[in-house]
């Protein structure tokens, strides 16, 4: 059975063996030295194989028959290959077939093995590269995760004696920010967060040029990662924006005209219908014929926001308490379509020229320019006399460091406190001018270009405690809500309706906007109010005097009540009000009040002063005018009769 299987297999396989063997030997032109050496080796191997074959013949007939069959088949198949035929002792056909089959098989296998080896080599090389990359990444991670060491005092002293190494400072700032962002895992053993914060303040001040106070306030307000974004944003200029003057043109027409002049611009944003942002210009944007004709006003995007929050209506009476150079005033006039009345006040006389020039250039005709201290405006214009007030208060300018880098080093705690004190006086004056019974108004908008909490949330919280007002939404769809709590300070919850704008978030100058609604013309009684509940402040003598003038009406009822209680207790004990034992006061030293009660001169002086109403003032003026006219007529008649 074995022989038949082998014969069947042999009968089927010879044709491909012939092709392979002829293909292998047909290509050989002549033996080379390598081939001769190979033949010698093959002869030696054939002799050994012959000896092994003879041993196999002695072992059994089955193997002999196998060899015989194989030789017969090989003889039949190899008739055409006579030169290759040889007897058994010189290497029979079986060996040649075996060798040729093995060589042909080894040739095909070698080709496949070569491909496999190449692909395997490529895979191994790729795996080796991946391992190297992984090892390098792990090494980098290990280096980054190494514990950052704070510089010692000796190192800091040595740095101070040398010129600042900006590259070293920048690297150390990044390391400190990285450690503070994951302080639990990356902190130095034994080092506190305060030590890292102090070192960060020092490095930021040295690298970016901030003084110790301002960088300390910014570190307290923002997380370290956001702080770095804010400081980097302060180093870049904000985009140039222009506001279309709708009194003279439309935004689409203005954009087409400026585009023809080589100005590359686009709409500012969805929240503004009149704003355009200028990317590039081949002509001076502040000297085009359109600018001189009043078609647009060069204005920062953040300056749009207070006027949009104020939302003035037509035929209203509006006050801009700090109007120069006129950007917001002209915007208010455009929204009112030159109707109603606007009082544009500016305290500094030198800035009145720019204010007046811009009003004329932009075609504003409903505005009266005045030059008063904003704190005195209620006495000039009258209390409860206007519908809306816009107070863009003077501030420290910590939100516009991009425009004025000197703020980094020029501002101190004393400057912030003085600004905050002035702002509190101005906002009380603004509230007093607004009429709570106005049909369309009764709103006050307070804004600053500062990011300091004492100038923003603390001022609004102060106004809420001193006047009957409430904080209402600004009407702006974007912006960050104001602080309700900041460090040890706690403010009214409605301050969430205020809005803060940051350079690194909104790509505009730092700004604060708050909108107040006056609920009644009555003033709150600040019983138990302590100004230290908000933010501590220093007061100059003249500021203290003016503040007392503003709050005189509120303090008089309290003093009157305390004096009455004291006098009553003294009278019960038989002691006069002055604390001295003497004769009882006579009627000559007393005055009668309006209700008929007898009061001492000291008490009558401390009575609340009653201001006349507008109707009474106009009535008195009219009477004076009539009297003057009658006197003039009488004088003329006397002259005629005398003649």
């Amino acid at each position: 059975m074995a022989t038949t299987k082998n014969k069947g297999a042999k009968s089927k396989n010879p044709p491909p063996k012939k092709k392979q063997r002829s293909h292998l030997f047909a290509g050989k032109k002549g033996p080379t030295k390598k081939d001769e050496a190979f033949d010698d080796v093959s002869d030696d191997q054939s002799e050994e194989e012959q000896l092994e074959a003879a041993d196999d013949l002695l072992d059994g007939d089955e193997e002999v028959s196998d060899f015989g069959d194989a030789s017969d088949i090989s003889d039949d198949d190899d008739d055409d290959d006579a030169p290759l035929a040889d007897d058994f002792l010189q290497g029979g056909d079986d060996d040649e077939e075996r060798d040729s089959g093995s060589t042909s098989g080894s040739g095909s296998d070698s080709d496949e093995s070569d491909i496999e080896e190449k692909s395997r080599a490529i895979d191994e090389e790729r795996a080796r590269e991946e391992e190297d990359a992984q090892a390098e990444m792990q090494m980098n991670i290990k280096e980054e995760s190494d514990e950052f060491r704070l510089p010692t005092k000796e190192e800091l002293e040595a740095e101070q004696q040398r010129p600042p190494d900006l590259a070293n400072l920048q690297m150390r700032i990044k390391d400190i920010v990285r450690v503070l962002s994951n302080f639990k895992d990356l902190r130095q053993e034994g080092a506190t967060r305060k030590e890292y914060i102090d070192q960060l303040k020092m490095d930021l001040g040295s690298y970016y040029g901030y003084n110790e106070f301002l960088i300390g306030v910014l570190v307290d307000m923002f997380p370290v990662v956001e702080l770095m974004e804010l400081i980097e944003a302060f180093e870049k200029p904000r985009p140039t924006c222009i506001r279309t003057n709708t009194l003279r043109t439309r935004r689409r027409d203005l954009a087409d005209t400026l585009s023809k002049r080589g100005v590359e611009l686009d709409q500012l944003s969805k929240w503004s219908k009149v704003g355009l942002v200028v990317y590039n210009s081949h002509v001076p944007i502040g000297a085009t014929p359109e600018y001189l004709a009043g078609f647009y006003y060069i204005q920062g995007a953040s300056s749009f926001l207070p006027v949009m929050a104020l939302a003035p209506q037509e035929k209203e009476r509006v006050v801009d308490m700090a109007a120069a150079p006129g950007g917001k005033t002209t915007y208010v006039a455009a929204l009112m379509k030159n109707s109603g009345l606007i009082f544009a006040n500016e305290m500094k006389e030198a800035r009145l020229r720019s204010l007046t020039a811009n009003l004329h250039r932009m075609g504003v005709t409903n505005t009266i320019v005045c030059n008063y201290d904003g704190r005195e405006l209620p006495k000039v214009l009258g209390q409860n006399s206007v519908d809306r007030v816009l107070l863009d208060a003077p501030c420290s300018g910590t939100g516009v460091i991009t425009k004025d880098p000197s703020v980094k080093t020029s501002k101190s705690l004393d400057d912030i406190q003085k600004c905050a004190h002035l702002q509190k006086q101005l906002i009380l004056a603004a509230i007093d001018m607004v009429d709570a019974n106005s049909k369309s108004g009764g709103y006050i908008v307070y804004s600053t270009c500062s990011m300091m909490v004492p100038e923003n949330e603390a001022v609004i919280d102060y106004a809420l405690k001193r006047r009957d007002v409430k904080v209402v939404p600004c009407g702006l769809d974007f912006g960050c809500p104001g602080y309700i709590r900041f460090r040890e300070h706690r403010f009214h919850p409605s301050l969430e309706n205020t809005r803060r704008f940051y350079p690194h978030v909104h790509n505009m100058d730092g700004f604060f906007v708050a909108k107040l609604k006056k609920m009644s013309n009555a003033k709150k009684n600040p019983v138990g109010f302590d100004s230290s509940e908000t933010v501590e402040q220093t007061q100059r003598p003249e500021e203290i005097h003016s503040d007392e003038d503003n709050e005189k009406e509120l303090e008089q009822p309290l003093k009157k009540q305390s004096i009455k209680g004291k006098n009553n207790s003294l009278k019960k004990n038989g002691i006069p009000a002055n604390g001295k034992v003497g004769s009882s006061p006579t009627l000559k030293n007393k005055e009668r009040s309006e209700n008929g009660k007898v009061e001492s001169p000291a008490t009558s002086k401390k009575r609340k002063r009653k201001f006349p109403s507008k109707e009474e003032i106009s009535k008195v003026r009219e009477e004076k005018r009539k009297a003057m006219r009658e006197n003039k007529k009488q004088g003329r008649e006397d002259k005629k009769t005398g003649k």
Side-chain angles (χ1 to χ4, degrees):
M1 291 295 291
T3 56
T4 58
K5 288 182 181 179
N6 289 334
K7 286 181 180 180
K10 294 280 183 174
S11 63
K12 292 179 182 179
N13 292 332
K17 285 186 179 181
K18 283 183 178 181
K19 291 181 183 180
Q20 290 177 357
R21 188 167 51 203
S22 62
H23 174 70
L24 288 172
F25 290 95
K28 291 185 178 182
K29 295 180 180 180
T32 61
K33 294 181 179 181
K34 292 181 179 179
D35 295 333
E36 292 175 355
F38 180 77
D39 293 335
D40 295 337
V41 175
S42 62
D43 292 338
D44 296 337
Q45 291 177 351
S46 62
E47 291 177 359
E48 293 176 359
E49 291 174 357
Q50 291 171 3
L51 295 174
E52 292 177 359
D55 294 336
D56 293 335
L57 288 171
L58 296 174
D59 291 338
D61 296 334
E62 187 176 356
E63 293 182 0
V64 173
S65 64
D66 291 339
F67 277 106
D69 296 336
S71 62
D72 294 336
I73 295 170
S74 63
D75 291 335
D76 296 334
D77 294 337
D78 296 336
D79 291 338
D80 297 333
D81 298 331
L84 299 176
D86 202 351
D87 58 3
F88 182 80
L89 295 176
Q90 293 181 356
D93 293 336
D94 288 334
D95 295 335
E96 290 180 359
E97 287 180 4
R98 193 179 302 147
D99 293 339
S100 63
S102 62
T103 53
S104 63
S106 63
S108 61
D109 293 341
S110 64
D111 293 339
E112 294 177 359
S113 63
D114 290 342
I115 296 172
E116 291 178 358
E117 288 177 358
K118 289 180 180 179
S119 63
R120 194 179 299 111
I122 293 172
D123 294 339
E124 290 176 356
E125 185 178 359
R126 187 177 300 168
R128 195 181 306 110
E129 290 177 356
E130 291 179 357
E131 290 177 0
D132 294 341
Q134 189 72 15
E136 186 177 357
M137 186 177 66
Q138 294 294 335
M139 187 181 298
N140 293 334
I141 293 173
K142 185 177 180 182
E143 289 177 358
E144 289 182 359
S145 62
D146 286 341
E147 187 176 294
F148 169 72
R149 296 286 178 179
L150 290 171
T152 61
K153 293 182 179 180
E154 292 77 9
E155 293 175 351
L156 293 176
E157 292 176 357
E159 285 183 4
Q160 293 176 357
Q161 295 176 359
R162 298 191 304 267
D165 186 359
L166 297 181
N168 186 27
L169 285 174
Q170 187 179 20
M171 183 62 67
R172 191 160 63 198
I173 289 171
K174 291 182 179 179
D175 289 335
I176 294 175
V177 171
R178 179 174 58 84
V179 171
L180 290 175
S181 61
N182 189 10
F183 187 73
K184 184 178 179 181
D185 298 331
L186 301 179
R187 71 186 184 93
Q188 179 181 341
E189 186 177 356
T192 61
R193 181 181 289 272
K194 185 178 182 303
E195 294 176 357
Y196 282 95
I197 293 294
D198 293 340
Q199 186 61 46
L200 180 63
K201 292 179 182 178
M202 189 184 304
D203 292 342
L204 289 175
S206 301
Y207 189 82
Y208 293 98
Y210 288 84
N211 61 15
E212 184 178 355
F213 162 73
L214 188 56
I215 199 66
V217 173
L218 294 178
V219 168
D220 292 339
M221 290 181 64
F222 300 97
V224 288
V225 177
E226 189 176 0
L227 173 66
M228 295 306 302
E229 295 177 357
L230 174 67
I231 292 177
E232 289 292 339
F234 277 142
E235 301 300 315
K236 302 174 183 177
R238 304 274 75 77
T240 302
C241 299
I242 60 176
R243 176 179 56 81
T244 307
N245 183 15
T246 55
L247 295 175
R248 295 191 182 275
T249 185
R250 296 184 302 174
R251 182 170 68 173
R252 181 183 301 174
D253 298 337
L254 177 63
D256 293 340
T257 304
L258 292 178
S259 297
K260 294 177 182 178
R261 295 192 182 276
V263 180
E264 298 176 7
L265 45 77
D266 196 4
Q267 296 182 5
L268 176 59
S269 185
K270 295 181 180 179
W271 53 265
S272 176
K273 297 181 180 180
V274 295
L276 292 169
V277 57
V278 178
Y279 298 111
N280 189 20
S281 177
H282 300 290
V283 295
I285 197 68
T288 61
E290 288 76 20
Y291 175 81
L292 299 176
F295 284 13
Y296 63 88
Y297 191 98
I298 302 175
Q299 190 173 21
S302 57
S303 298
F304 291 31
L305 306 175
V307 181
M308 294 175 62
L310 184 66
Q313 305 298 317
E314 297 181 22
K315 299 180 181 181
E316 284 187 339
R317 291 166 59 92
V318 180
V319 177
D320 188 355
M321 295 184 68
K328 298 179 182 64
T329 305
T330 54
Y331 194 7
V332 172
L335 293 177
M336 295 175 65
K337 299 179 181 179
N338 261 342
S339 65
L341 183 61
I342 300 174
F343 294 97
N345 180 69
E346 176 56 42
M347 187 181 71
K348 296 181 180 179
E349 188 175 355
R351 305 186 69 185
L352 292 176
R353 292 184 179 180
S354 62
L355 173 60
T356 307
N358 284 321
L359 290 174
H360 285 300
R361 182 175 63 85
M362 303 293 283
V364 177
T365 59
N366 66 338
T367 301
I368 298 174
V369 179
C370 50
N371 176 221
Y372 290 100
D373 186 344
R375 294 170 289 188
E376 303 297 327
L377 281 178
K379 298 178 182 179
V380 178
L381 302 178
Q383 295 188 358
N384 311 324
S385 59
V386 299
D387 299 306
R388 298 172 194 257
V389 173
L390 174 61
L391 174 57
D392 186 24
C395 63
S396 60
T398 52
V400 290
I401 294 177
T402 301
K403 296 179 181 178
D404 186 12
S406 64
V407 176
K408 294 180 181 180
T409 56
S410 62
K411 300 303 176 183
S412 63
L413 178 61
D414 188 46
D415 296 327
I416 303 300
Q417 291 172 343
K418 289 177 181 178
C419 287
H421 183 67
L422 175 62
Q423 291 157 356
K424 290 176 181 178
Q425 294 175 334
L426 289 173
I427 196 170
L428 291 182
I431 294 171
D432 292 340
M433 281 190 292
V434 174
D435 184 11
N437 300 321
S438 174
K439 295 181 180 180
S440 60
Y443 295 100
I444 304 97
V445 170
Y446 174 85
S447 64
T448 66
C449 55
S450 171
M451 295 194 302
M452 300 291 103
V453 173
E455 297 182 78
N456 297 327
E457 285 86 356
V459 174
I460 301 299
D461 191 67
Y462 176 86
L464 292 176
K465 294 178 179 178
R466 291 298 182 110
R467 296 292 186 270
D468 189 10
V469 294
K470 69 175 183 178
V471 182
V472 296
C474 298
L476 303 173
D477 298 334
F478 64 106
C480 302
Y483 287 100
I484 296 178
R485 55 173 63 96
F486 177 72
R487 297 179 68 83
E488 70 273 14
H489 307 293
R490 299 293 180 269
F491 303 117
H492 197 275
S494 63
L495 286 174
E496 279 189 347
N497 292 324
T498 62
R499 285 292 175 266
R500 281 177 164 266
F501 302 91
Y502 299 116
H504 65 289
V505 178
H506 308 99
N507 197 21
M508 61 178 66
D509 293 327
F511 226 76
F512 175 82
V513 180
K515 187 173 184 179
L516 302 175
K517 168 69 175 174
K518 190 173 182 180
M519 305 307 297
S520 68
N521 294 328
K523 298 179 181 180
K524 284 187 177 181
N525 188 4
V527 177
F529 175 78
D530 186 8
S531 60
S532 63
E533 291 177 0
T534 55
V535 179
E536 296 180 359
Q537 59 187 18
T538 57
Q539 299 178 349
R540 293 176 294 183
E542 62 272 16
E543 291 175 344
I544 295 172
H545 178 70
S546 59
D547 190 41
E548 289 176 353
D549 292 341
N550 288 335
E551 303 303 324
K552 185 176 180 181
E553 300 176 5
L554 299 174
E555 294 175 355
Q556 292 300 332
L558 294 177
K559 292 182 178 179
K560 189 174 180 180
Q561 292 176 3
S562 61
I563 291 170
K564 282 184 179 180
K566 185 176 180 181
N567 290 341
N568 292 334
S569 62
L570 292 174
K571 286 179 181 179
K572 289 181 182 179
N573 297 328
I575 301 175
N578 56 8
K580 296 181 180 180
V581 179
S583 59
S584 60
T586 59
L587 293 175
K588 294 181 180 180
N589 298 328
K590 296 181 180 181
E591 296 179 358
R592 289 190 175 273
S593 61
E594 294 177 357
N595 56 8
K597 293 184 180 180
V598 179
E599 295 179 353
S600 63
T603 307
S604 62
K605 287 181 181 179
K606 293 184 178 181
R607 263 200 331 257
K608 180 180 178 181
R609 182 182 174 185
K610 184 177 180 181
F611 292 95
S613 62
K614 290 191 294 184
E615 292 79 5
E616 293 176 351
I617 293 173
S618 60
K619 187 176 180 181
V620 171
R621 287 178 179 173
E622 189 64 28
E623 290 176 355
K624 287 183 179 180
R625 289 171 186 167
K626 287 182 180 179
M628 290 176 64
R629 290 169 188 165
E630 291 177 357
N631 291 334
K632 287 182 180 180
K633 288 181 181 179
Q634 188 67 29
R636 291 173 185 172
E637 291 176 357
D638 292 341
K639 287 181 181 180
K640 289 179 181 180
T641 55
K643 290 181 179 179

